[in-house]
Amino acid sequence: MSALLDISKLSLAFRTEKGPARVLDMIDLAVKPGEIVGLVGESGCGKTTLARAILGTLPEGLTEIGSGHIRLDGVDMLRGGKAAESIRGRVVTFVPQDPFASFNPLFRIGTQIADLMRWKAPRPEGRRWGGHRRADEDAAIAMLDAVQLPQPRAILAKYPHELSGGQRQRVMIAMALLPQPQLIIADEPTTALDVTVQAQILGLLRRLAVERGVSVLFTTHDLGAAWEICDRVVVMYAGQTAEIAPREAFFANPRHPYTRMLLDSLPEPGRDPVGIPGGVPSPLTPPGGCRFNPRCPRVTEICRETRPALAEHEGGHLVACHHPVTADAEALYV
Amino acid sequence: MNWLSMVANRLIWFVPTLLGLLAIVFTLSRVVPIDPAFLAAGENASVEQVQKVRERFGFDKPLPVQFLNYVRDVAQGNFGVSMFTQQPIVNDLATRLPATLELTLVAVLIAALIGIPLGVLCGLHRNSWLDHVLRVVTVSGLAVASFWFAMQLQFLFSMKLGWLPLSGRMEGFPPEPVTGLMVVDALIAGDGEALASALRHMILPAVTLALPAAATVVRFTRNGVIGVINSPSVAYQTAMGFPRRVIIWKYVLRMALTATVTQLGLIFGILLAGAVVVETVFDWPGLGAYAVRSILQSDYNAVMGFTLCTGALFVFINLLVDMLQAAIDPRGAA
């Protein structure tokens, strides 16, 4: 099956007063139709930038594209202009990180949904205007019902501040689904919510996406959340792809030392969590070669000089490392 | 419900505010080192005649008694008699208030129609040449003396080009007074000639009056837009592919205008103060011109009446602004 989203060798920098910040470095990523992909990494690893690049909403005039391309449904989202604008909200939709601030506080929920549908919902040919108001409202109510909001009609008449965080994020998911997209980009959709609500929202997002065959690219720094909903996990470190693997293989046999240390840093019964010494390098002065080399226990000379390519291991497991963790070399420290 | 209780709350405060205003107006009128009885009695009056006048107007009583009498009179709609025209002040104010109101309303309209779009453009293109040019223009718009500007307009458009009348409110027969607003009355009477004349007379004074108000509107709208344009809700709508013009002119504008609407009361104060000068220059038969004449003649009943009238108007406008504010922003009504 061909990829819905195809990102290849994407390098990207932001202009800053201190020089270019190289936020993304040779990123490769593909999302197939109907697939749920988790993009995992620490804050500042470039996952939000990547999400914005796919949506085509990077700050104009501040972004330098070094190399590569992003194709979504065949459209170049980096240089798409009008075509990219048309794709946004129609082929690809968005669930934001902060459901509190992402609504306009002065308009009713119903108005904001109606405007989205007016411009982005699929229309039967030849009836672009008029006669849709009623159908739009019915569709909106059905969708609010699908995201398990009680009394959907009453919700349409409410202002954002009258809903709880979980309710607002459910509305956001409904809005992401209403245009019948092929891909939803969910940028840390549960970070701003209570822990008890997080699992509900993740489960809902997964169920609705699977039912409708919609792909989801889900960014998170929470490995537990990735385990909950993803088919495939992509690990990013400091703007580079470290490891891509199907969910089971990823959690059972992490290959990249960074991934391995990331998993070891999770608290687990019967074992103390182990932190990763050091910090994420600044994108202004990234280390040469593999950007993880200053913190890696397996570092050798080649890691500082040559950027490791993503190499395929068994079972669709892709790792960008000169010294991956394997069955023969299990110990992290060599 | 919230909105109603807010309005009730403001209405209750309306009464003490007016009482305070009365006290200030009264005190000021008694502090002025002019004996009103002496003035009223005339230059050649004897001491006995002056004393008689004093008793007739109650100036011989203690100040608190005079104040209570004054409050009682005002409550009954009796603002006293002009010492020069011997007409009840209320009649004078009633014939002149509509003229000022008409001029001020048109000035507000001009200020909003010019100021809001320019403010939005400046906010969107911050620090562009347009923003810089308009910053200079708005600062000078606030700094330029309105009588000077008024006379420049008169010189250019009336005396040099002869496009517009020099002064006054109407040529020929005025339409049957219904509302007192000349333009509205002309429309009601279906008198096209009177309407044209009223509008032609209105342009120069209204523009003069609108200039500083428009400058204020531009600045507040600009700052409002700048405060909103980088908000998460705009980022969300952009990512969801809402058309740019809908985001700006519907969603951002309403958020930006909450700041501007708060300033409407202030703007109205600027206009009332400006009316005193503008009406005098353009010989506009409104409250401002009346105030100037009354002050020059030391007709202190008339001055008190004018001050009270504009003061009450100002308080009332601010009440309206609060109500409008609460209607625009559903969160504020608490």
Side-chain angles (χ1 to χ4, degrees), chain B residues 107-120 134 207 210-211 214-215 217-218:
Chain B
V108 165
L109 205 64
I110 294 175
L113 286 180
I114 294 174
I116 291 174
L118 284 181
V120 170
L134 273 168
V207 165
L211 181 72
V217 172
V218 168

Side-chain angles (χ1 to χ4, degrees), chain A residues 55 57 85 88-89 92-94 96 101-107 111-112 115-116 119-120 159 161 172 175-176 179, chain B residues 231-246 250-252 254-256 258 327-331:
Chain A
L55 288 160
T57 56
E85 198 181 308
R88 269 205 295 282
V92 59
T93 59
F94 180 60
S102 295
F103 280 109
N104 186 306
L106 305 185
F107 290 84
T111 309
Q112 307 194 36
D115 266 332
L116 172 70
W119 301 106
K120 291 297 171 183
Y159 287 98
H161 72 278
M172 284 296 183
M175 288 175 77
Chain B
S231 70
S233 73
V234 173
Y236 171 72
Q237 291 185 329
T238 307
M240 286 297 274
F242 281 57
R244 186 79 179 153
R245 62 179 187 285
V246 176
K250 182 170 182 178
Y251 289 91
V252 169
R254 166 108 53 122
M255 301 245 276
T258 52
I328 289 181
D329 189 344
R331 297 165 302 171

Side-chain angles (χ1 to χ4, degrees), chain B residues 97-119:
Chain B
L97 179 63
T100 297
L101 221 48
E102 185 173 33
L103 188 61
T104 331
L105 286 176
V106 172
V108 165
L109 205 64
I110 294 175
L113 286 180
I114 294 174
I116 291 174
L118 284 181

Side-chain angles (χ1 to χ4, degrees), chain B residues 14-47:
Chain B
F14 196 53
V15 175
T17 311
L18 279 186
L19 273 178
L21 182 64
L22 273 177
I24 291 170
V25 168
F26 179 81
T27 311
L28 283 179
S29 72
R30 300 302 139 124
V31 170
V32 177
I34 293 173
D35 185 346
F38 188 78
L39 275 174
E43 257 179 64
N44 300 318
S46 64
V47 178

Side-chain angles (χ1 to χ4, degrees), chain A residues 34 36 65 89 137 160 207 212 221 241 246 253 262 283-284 303 318:
Chain A
I36 299 180
I65 295 154
E137 197 180 310
R207 186 169 58 72
R212 289 166 168 73
H221 60 255
T241 320
N253 300 307
L262 208 57
L284 290 167
C303 304
L318 299 166

